[in-house]
Amino acid sequence: MLNLTYYQSLFNEDNTEIRCRRVLDEVAPSVKEVFERFIKTTDIPIGEEYYIRGYDTTLTTTYHDSRNPAHAEKKKNSDIGRKYFVGLYKKTGDKETNLLMLELNGIDQSLLIHAEVSFIPFWSWLRSGEIKQVLHTIPESYSILTGWREKSSVGKHDIEDFIKSCIKPRKRPSFQLGKTLPLEGKMDEYELNGYLEEVWGGLSEFRNLLLQEIEIGQKAMTALQQLSVVRDIEETRLLGRTYSVEISSVENYKSQGKRQAFQINDGDQMITKGHIDFLDYHDKNSPYQTIVVKAAGGNQIFTNAREILGYGSKEWWIKKLFATQKMDNQEIKTLAMDLLEEHGIKVDDHSYCVGTYDNESQTFEEGAHQVKKNFIDSALLFAHARQAVELPTVNEESEIVSEESENDTESLDPNFRFTEIYEMIDNSQFTFSKSIVRDLHLNLTALDDKHFVVLSGISGTGKTQLCRLYANAVYGLEYESDNPYFSIIPVRPDWTDASSLFGYYSSFEKRYVKTEFLNVILNALKEREKPHFILLDEMNLARVEYYLSDYLSAVESRKEIPLHQDDHVTDVPQKLLIPPNVYILGTINVDETTHSISDKVLDRAFVMTLSDVDFTSFWERVDRDMKEAMNQEFHLLQELHTTLARHELHFGYRTMGEMLQKLYANHQLGFDDAMDSSEALDGVIAEKVLTKIRGDERISDMLQELSDWLSRKLEGSSVSLNHVKRMQGELEYYGATQFWR
């Protein structure tokens, strides 16, 4: 007999440690026993494919953390342990599907017997038009719930609208389908077993459709996986010219799939780089298994792999559209299709074929190598057609044209939800802690009408990259994407007044000379619903209070800035009001080439300092091939960084990354041509680390530590050690020293 009222009291225990322990001891055993006994009656072979899993591991971990003083305070008010569940799962590939779950929920005081299904299958059924058929299989008496802590009910007639409402804001709630009973009184185990039988049988038709959907997705991922393992494409010939191709190892990308970087070189010169995403679903645009090929700053190919599934052989035709703003898109498409045909890729009016898939053997008839090459070649030719990258012909008559974005700005919707912004930044190739991203987010958004953040810190800590990452994440764009609402404006030392930002009227030319800063403000006035980000890079190369004072005063007073008094100027207003959708970011470095920032400016800005670096997280994101080759060198450089950090003379991510890149390039020269690893390490330390060392007697201890470290770690004659010993001698003789002589 299960005493549900008593279980409810255990879930509501205030002390997390006691709650988790008692749930494990008093609730879990009896609930698991009933559930396992029922599963035996279903004739499902429990093993590697089907398995039973409960909430025990999470509860045990929380229990131990609650007893650990280091975690106790954080875990004190956790909701973990306010419910208990045990479920039956099926594993398909690397994906698990819940088929049945028994849950005792103390938060909303209910007992649930249901199947828990992620959002993606429902999105897929909605997209394919099968949603009504699927919903018809769910008995009318069953609840459809969503939510983890507090569950809400969704009616069968409302679920299509609910799914649609979640797609654009990228909400991805799971659904629980089954029976809901009150968590009160007592229940005979046979009665509970009856409910399990009822729900298991009632969802049988739905379960079949769900497993069919999972199986289709797995078949599509099998095709994508064949392409992802291909790395032996060493060259390609485009427009009569041969280029070398470098394809990196596959890395995990978010929770959606894999990402693989590639690079196109003309001799020793990189022409462009990109990546291929092999996704189980695209979080923004598609519930289907998707391949995305990005090159030259834009998504050149986006297609789902289900197109090639079916019976027999199916050709993979992909529709291609262009959406540039300043070019004739029909002309670009015509040129692109002509280029594809010239390179042996089949085309029709608006589609092209990358290969043929044999569904019987589940292989590509041309071979995965050729199909992947077709994807890369097509992406490069598309980028060339829209003039985002130049692929010179053999006679090199091509004209270099500035890059245009393929993105349609009308489709870019801003989103300031921190969770989604942080997820995009966390999944980039850069390393920024959640606390830094959160601080930037709050500094930019806490005030409704003033958005001004200054980022300081040592060079190479990623100040500029963080600004770009954040601005792109607001629009759902990845770091490499061209964001029309983000502008980087380098500050020049000769900026002495507001005309550097807002332009000026030229009486000689009889026109108003506009600047990039002014153009952004004017665009922000036209598109008030879109945030416009401006990064003033190295903003203290000039005196900030000289060139930015008009802007700061206008934002503070909400008054207009006078620009000119000429009635003949029509493209620039005589007075300018700064709209609240302008976000100003500035980066500063502090050295002998820069100016201090006045209190007037500091009073109007949030100032962040990025000096701490996390090389552990940085290393996790490094390409797998480089990790394997440079493991020893990285850890030595990390030791060096620790030594320098004690004296505030450490280096940032840029320096670490560039040193590793040079060391890896040396490694790739091969045994006959490469420098000895110790010699190469010695060289990059001298070139990238020691060059920034200067100071007086306060760096004496640091130089001694550095001398000791170099003596221990570098074998033989060391260029770096010689430099350090020279600086030690100069310091002792002159009282000051620097790397440069």
Side-chain angles (χ1 to χ4, degrees):
M1 183 70 67
L2 303 179
N3 190 335
L4 303 181
T5 303
Y6 175 65
Y7 289 166
Q8 183 189 129
S9 69
L10 298 184
F11 293 135
N12 292 327
E13 168 64 53
D14 288 337
N15 186 296
T16 306
E17 176 191 340
I18 297 174
R19 181 172 69 239
C20 290
R21 182 73 270 163
R22 294 182 70 183
V23 171
L24 281 168
D25 290 342
E26 302 185 47
V27 180
S30 54
V31 173
K32 279 197 296 186
E33 183 180 351
V34 173
F35 189 82
E36 290 171 354
R37 187 184 305 127
F38 166 73
I39 294 302
K40 287 182 179 179
T41 67
T42 63
D43 295 327
I44 288 179
I46 300 300
E48 187 174 335
E49 184 178 6
Y50 293 92
Y51 51 91
I52 296 172
R53 181 161 56 81
Y55 202 33
D56 305 64
T57 302
T58 301
L59 294 174
T60 302
T61 301
T62 303
Y63 169 71
H64 288 299
D65 286 347
S66 299
R67 296 176 63 84
N68 184 339
H71 304 291
E73 188 63 30
K74 184 178 180 181
K75 294 290 184 179
K76 186 167 65 175
N77 298 315
S78 170
D79 279 334
I80 296 175
R82 294 198 183 279
K83 67 177 183 177
Y84 180 77
F85 66 79
V86 59
L88 173 67
Y89 296 84
K90 183 180 189 294
K91 189 173 183 64
T92 307
D94 57 357
K95 181 182 298 184
E96 69 172 22
T97 305
N98 176 256
L99 302 180
L100 184 67
M101 183 178 290
L102 171 57
E103 177 180 321
L104 278 65
N105 192 316
I107 298 173
D108 58 12
Q109 301 178 14
S110 60
L111 185 153
L112 301 99
I113 303 171
H114 59 248
E116 185 164 30
V117 185
S118 75
F119 179 84
I120 304 303
F122 281 92
W123 185 11
S124 175
W125 289 321
L126 180 70
R127 175 72 68 88
S128 66
E130 299 173 285
I131 187 68
K132 286 184 170 58
Q133 174 191 350
V134 172
L135 293 175
H136 184 70
T137 67
I138 303 172
E140 293 294 334
S141 61
Y142 285 13
S143 303
I144 302 178
L145 305 176
T146 184
W148 189 94
R149 191 181 189 283
E150 296 178 354
K151 300 182 186 297
S152 57
S153 177
V154 183
K156 285 176 67 172
H157 299 294
D158 302 323
I159 197 164
E160 290 187 52
D161 290 337
F162 178 80
I163 295 169
K164 291 175 184 176
S165 72
C166 293
I167 294 172
K168 191 171 183 179
R170 293 190 232 186
K171 297 177 181 177
R172 303 294 180 253
S174 60
F175 296 98
Q176 298 94 40
L177 321 173
K179 293 194 74 70
T180 306
L181 304 166
L183 189 64
E184 60 184 27
K186 296 183 179 181
M187 180 178 290
D188 186 277
E189 293 181 8
Y190 292 102
E191 182 181 0
L192 180 56
N193 191 78
Y195 285 124
L196 288 167
E197 288 181 356
E198 178 187 345
V199 174
W200 179 256
L203 290 177
S204 60
E205 192 175 349
F206 170 84
R207 191 164 55 250
N208 289 336
L209 293 177
L210 175 63
L211 293 177
Q212 286 175 20
E213 167 66 22
I214 301 299
E215 184 180 357
I216 292 171
Q218 184 60 33
K219 288 181 178 179
M221 284 305 297
T222 298
L224 293 185
Q225 286 163 3
Q226 289 182 50
L227 298 178
S228 71
V229 299
V230 173
R231 292 185 60 187
D232 60 344
I233 302 173
E234 297 180 353
E235 65 177 30
T236 187
R237 189 167 179 81
L238 300 172
L239 302 176
R241 194 180 186 92
T242 300
Y243 300 92
S244 63
V245 181
E246 297 178 15
I247 301 179
S248 300
S249 56
V250 176
E251 306 284 347
N252 289 329
Y253 177 62
K254 300 183 179 180
S255 58
Q256 300 162 231
K258 306 288 184 180
R259 167 167 288 184
Q260 187 172 49
F262 66 87
Q263 182 170 307
I264 308 300
N265 303 309
D266 185 0
D268 294 330
Q269 178 62 47
M270 185 189 77
I271 297 298
T272 189
K273 61 182 178 179
H275 58 251
I276 307 175
D277 293 339
F278 305 95
L279 305 177
D280 192 35
Y281 63 94
H282 189 278
D283 193 45
K284 183 178 180 181
N285 294 319
S286 175
Y288 300 142
Q289 291 65 40
T290 302
I291 183 169
V292 183
V293 186
K294 185 167 191 171
N299 288 342
Q300 309 297 342
I301 299 175
F302 187 104
T303 185
N304 89 75
R306 295 193 181 194
E307 297 287 341
I308 57 176
L309 300 183
Y311 297 99
S313 296
K314 293 198 69 174
E315 292 184 327
W316 198 341
W317 284 91
I318 304 171
K319 187 175 182 179
K320 180 61 181 177
L321 298 174
F322 290 91
T324 61
Q325 290 184 294
K326 300 178 182 179
M327 302 174 70
D328 187 320
N329 292 304
Q330 183 58 42
E331 286 185 8
I332 299 174
K333 188 180 76 171
T334 301
L335 172 60
M337 292 302 162
D338 289 344
L339 289 173
L340 293 185
E341 195 165 23
E342 289 172 13
H343 288 78
I345 297 175
K346 288 195 297 186
V347 302
D348 62 16
D349 182 46
H350 57 270
S351 301
Y352 59 101
C353 178
V354 291
T356 306
Y357 190 68
D358 183 349
N359 282 274
E360 301 303 318
S361 63
Q362 296 188 349
T363 58
F364 290 98
E365 292 184 359
E366 303 85 350
H369 179 283
Q370 183 60 49
V371 174
K372 188 166 187 174
K373 184 176 181 297
N374 288 345
F375 268 110
I376 294 174
D377 287 352
S378 299
L380 294 171
L381 292 171
F382 291 148
H384 176 79
R386 68 179 183 89
Q387 300 178 349
V389 68
E390 179 190 23
L391 295 177
T393 57
V394 286
N395 56 13
E396 299 196 2
E397 293 178 348
S398 299
E399 179 183 358
I400 299 176
V401 185
S402 61
E403 178 177 336
E404 298 288 346
S405 170
E406 187 179 341
N407 293 323
D408 181 359
T409 58
E410 292 183 2
S411 68
L412 294 177
D413 295 312
N415 165 25
F416 276 107
R417 287 185 292 274
F418 174 72
T419 301
E420 294 167 31
I421 290 172
Y422 175 68
E423 182 181 352
M424 288 207 69
I425 294 176
D426 188 48
N427 285 302
S428 72
Q429 73 266 37
F430 297 98
T431 305
F432 294 104
S433 68
K434 188 173 186 178
S435 61
I436 288 176
V437 178
R438 179 175 55 227
D439 199 28
L440 176 62
H441 174 75
L442 293 174
N443 290 341
L444 276 174
T445 61
L447 305 179
D448 293 333
D449 56 350
K450 291 193 297 183
H451 315 288
F452 181 26
V453 178
V454 175
L455 294 93
S456 68
I458 65 171
S459 178
T461 50
K463 298 185 290 293
T464 302
Q465 287 92 336
L466 176 59
C467 295
R468 182 185 180 99
L469 276 168
Y470 184 90
N472 280 16
V474 166
Y475 282 100
L477 298 171
E478 296 179 10
Y479 176 81
E480 302 87 352
S481 299
D482 181 26
N483 184 350
Y485 299 104
F486 175 67
S487 299
I488 299 179
I489 301 177
V491 172
R492 292 169 52 93
D494 59 355
W495 287 12
T496 57
D497 57 37
S499 65
S500 304
L501 292 182
F502 295 101
Y504 60 92
Y505 179 75
S506 171
S507 56
F508 176 75
E509 299 179 65
K510 303 296 183 184
R511 69 181 183 91
Y512 196 92
V513 179
K514 293 193 288 185
T515 64
E516 184 178 358
F517 187 92
L518 178 61
N519 285 329
V520 174
I521 302 297
L522 295 175
N523 288 334
L525 286 165
K526 295 176 185 176
E527 295 184 274
R528 294 291 191 110
E529 76 285 359
K530 301 285 181 72
H532 290 63
F533 297 90
I534 300 174
L535 172 60
L536 299 174
D537 202 22
E538 299 196 58
M539 65 184 301
N540 61 333
L541 282 177
R543 292 195 176 278
V544 181
E545 59 272 18
Y546 287 0
Y547 67 84
L548 201 61
S549 58
D550 285 6
Y551 175 87
L552 295 174
S553 297
V555 171
E556 193 72 29
S557 65
R558 307 309 304 160
K559 292 182 180 179
E560 295 176 317
I561 300 173
L563 298 180
H564 65 90
Q565 296 179 333
D566 195 312
D567 294 333
H568 298 292
V569 175
T570 58
D571 57 339
V572 176
Q574 293 184 353
K575 294 182 179 181
L576 183 70
L577 180 68
I578 304 298
N581 59 324
V582 175
Y583 293 72
I584 302 295
L585 300 120
T587 64
I588 62 173
N589 292 315
V590 180
D591 55 39
E592 63 274 8
T593 67
T594 61
H595 300 276
S596 61
I597 300 180
S598 69
D599 289 347
K600 175 183 178 180
V601 176
L602 296 176
D603 286 345
R604 289 163 171 79
F606 286 105
V607 180
M608 298 174 58
T609 302
L610 275 67
S611 287
D612 295 332
V613 292
D614 178 9
F615 283 135
T616 301
S617 298
F618 167 87
W619 187 240
E620 291 174 357
R621 298 167 189 263
V622 168
D623 180 83
R624 187 184 305 158
D625 293 343
M626 182 184 286
K627 271 185 185 176
E628 293 175 357
M630 294 290 107
N631 186 61
Q632 181 179 353
E633 286 84 348
F634 167 74
H635 286 98
L636 286 171
L637 290 171
Q638 193 175 27
E639 285 182 25
L640 175 61
H641 174 270
T642 302
T643 299
L644 295 172
R646 289 195 287 267
H647 303 273
E648 298 296 326
L649 289 170
H650 53 297
F651 49 87
Y653 298 115
R654 183 196 301 125
T655 299
M656 174 66 89
E658 290 177 359
M659 287 192 291
L660 289 173
Q661 287 285 357
K662 180 176 179 180
L663 292 170
Y664 186 51
N666 174 65
H667 170 77
Q668 290 180 306
L669 292 177
F671 180 79
D672 292 334
D673 298 315
M675 285 184 286
D676 175 82
S677 60
S678 181
E679 179 187 357
L681 182 63
D682 184 26
V684 296
I685 291 173
E687 295 162 350
K688 298 292 290 183
V689 178
L690 301 186
T691 53
K692 299 175 185 176
I693 292 179
R694 57 187 174 274
D696 52 24
E697 66 274 2
R698 287 172 292 183
I699 68 168
S700 176
D701 291 342
M702 186 274 295
L703 287 175
Q704 186 58 50
E705 288 184 48
L706 197 52
S707 176
D708 294 342
W709 185 86
L710 290 168
S711 298
R712 293 194 312 270
K713 300 299 182 179
L714 298 182
E715 301 174 359
S717 176
S718 167
V719 173
S720 298
L721 182 57
N722 289 338
H723 281 302
V724 171
K725 288 188 177 299
R726 171 185 56 79
M727 286 190 281
Q728 284 181 298
E730 291 175 353
L731 182 61
E732 184 176 351
Y733 189 81
Y734 298 109
T737 189
Q738 62 176 4
F739 175 83
W740 302 102
R741 286 178 286 187

